[in-house]
Amino acid sequence: MTDSAHAYLDQVVPRLQKLTDLAAAGGLEPAVDLLVAALEKGGVIQSFGTGHSQAFVMELSGRAGGLIPTSGIYLRDVLTVGDRDRSQLTGGELERDPSVVDDLFAVSTIGPDDVFVIASNSGVNGSIVGVALEAKRRGHAVIAVTSLEHTNAVEPKHPSGQRLSEVADVVIDNLAPFGDTTLPVDGGVVVGAVSSITAALIAQLLTIGVTERIAATGATPPVYISANIPGGDEHNRALEDRYRGRIRRSA
């Protein structure tokens, strides 16, 4: 296990360093520009992801150190808020179904100045591409976080024939390899997925970039503090009140 642990670290660290260098060189500024522009207009950052990319949504919205004007969109919303059949939430069929997009938008509160950040390692499933296309149709900017190596190696599953990376205004490569995994083991399988780790860094780098930009204007960035420290709940609720009815927090 020791050798495998170090081998995995050798796969992860260079990717994290490359993303950090990209941010330091200004490579994430086009995305930060869109996020800041939306917030300056009173908009909210809408984040969406399916499967393990839901972790990116949770990293970007509703956590300590994160921006308050953010709202996560999840496939389960069509059940918990809408009236889709529970059986449709199993087996991965729903994330490939482009028809779910209308239901998702119907149960989501989306303002005209909101911006979308959509995470998908493959970037080809019907719901992912469908949400991006619908957001664009409604006039919203779209930022994609995806694996360019993977998405360019597979066929789109949306009827439009498009990939998330081909719809978005700004594309951020999560640097995951094809298939996401990095370490071959006996038995012909490969483990050591990296996209969740690189996506978490991307979410934090975007949050830092937006927060620094707002602070540079002399304004106080609307940022959560931990609810598990004294005064945390009071601080967070006071700021959430500014966006009441426009941001959704899941348990």
Side-chain angles (χ1 to χ4, degrees), residues 33-44 113 213-214 217 243:
D33 288 343
L34 292 179
L35 298 173
V36 171
L39 297 185
E40 287 179 340
K41 294 176 183 176
V44 165
D113 296 314
R213 189 84 67 83
I214 293 173
T217 68
Y243 303 93

Side-chain angles (χ1 to χ4, degrees), residues 10 12 45 57 117-118 131 159-161 173 186 203 210 220 235:
D10 288 343
V12 172
I45 299 169
V57 178
V117 186
I118 302 176
V131 167
S160 69
D173 187 1
D186 291 343
V210 171
T220 301
H235 168 91

Side-chain angles (χ1 to χ4, degrees), residues 3-38:
D3 290 344
S4 296
H6 284 107
Y8 182 52
L9 193 64
D10 288 343
Q11 291 290 334
V12 172
V13 170
R15 289 178 164 88
L16 298 182
Q17 187 64 60
K18 187 173 181 178
L19 287 168
T20 303
D21 292 343
L22 175 71
L28 297 183
E29 291 306 301
V32 172
D33 288 343
L34 292 179
L35 298 173
V36 171

Side-chain angles (χ1 to χ4, degrees), residues 14 17 31 82 97 102 111 126 130 140 173 180 219 221 223 240 242 245 247 250:
Q17 187 64 60
D97 181 4
D102 290 340
H140 302 284
D173 187 1
D180 200 1
V223 171
E240 283 181 333
R242 300 182 189 176
I247 59 176
S250 299

Side-chain angles (χ1 to χ4, degrees), residues 73-217:
I73 300 174
Y74 300 90
L75 285 178
R76 64 176 178 267
D77 294 344
V78 301
L79 169 65
T80 58
V81 185
D83 56 5
R84 278 260 185 165
D85 190 315
R86 181 179 295 272
S87 65
Q88 294 178 309
L89 291 179
T90 60
E93 292 88 356
L94 199 57
E95 70 175 328
R96 301 189 181 102
D97 181 4
S99 73
V100 75
V101 172
D102 290 340
D103 290 343
L104 274 175
F105 274 80
V107 299
S108 301
T109 302
I110 299 169
D113 296 314
D114 293 356
V115 59
F116 279 70
V117 186
I118 302 176
S120 171
N121 195 59
S122 69
V124 296
N125 279 323
S127 64
I128 289 291
V129 177
V131 167
L133 286 169
E134 180 62 15
K136 292 289 293 179
R137 187 188 72 79
R138 295 183 179 213
H140 302 284
V142 173
I143 299 165
V145 178
T146 189
S147 165
L148 291 181
E149 180 177 324
H150 188 116
T151 197
N152 290 329
V154 294
E155 292 298 318
K157 298 178 181 178
H158 190 271
S160 69
Q162 293 180 280
R163 298 172 174 84
L164 172 62
S165 60
E166 296 165 342
V167 178
D169 298 282
V170 173
V171 178
I172 302 172
D173 187 1
N174 68 16
L175 303 181
F178 177 72
D180 200 1
T181 52
T182 58
L183 296 180
V185 298
D186 291 343
V189 298
V190 187
V191 294
V194 297
S195 67
S196 295
I197 297 174
T198 57
L201 177 62
I202 291 166
Q204 290 301 322
L205 291 172
L206 291 175
T207 300
I208 292 167
V210 171
T211 302
E212 287 182 340
R213 189 84 67 83
I214 293 173
T217 68

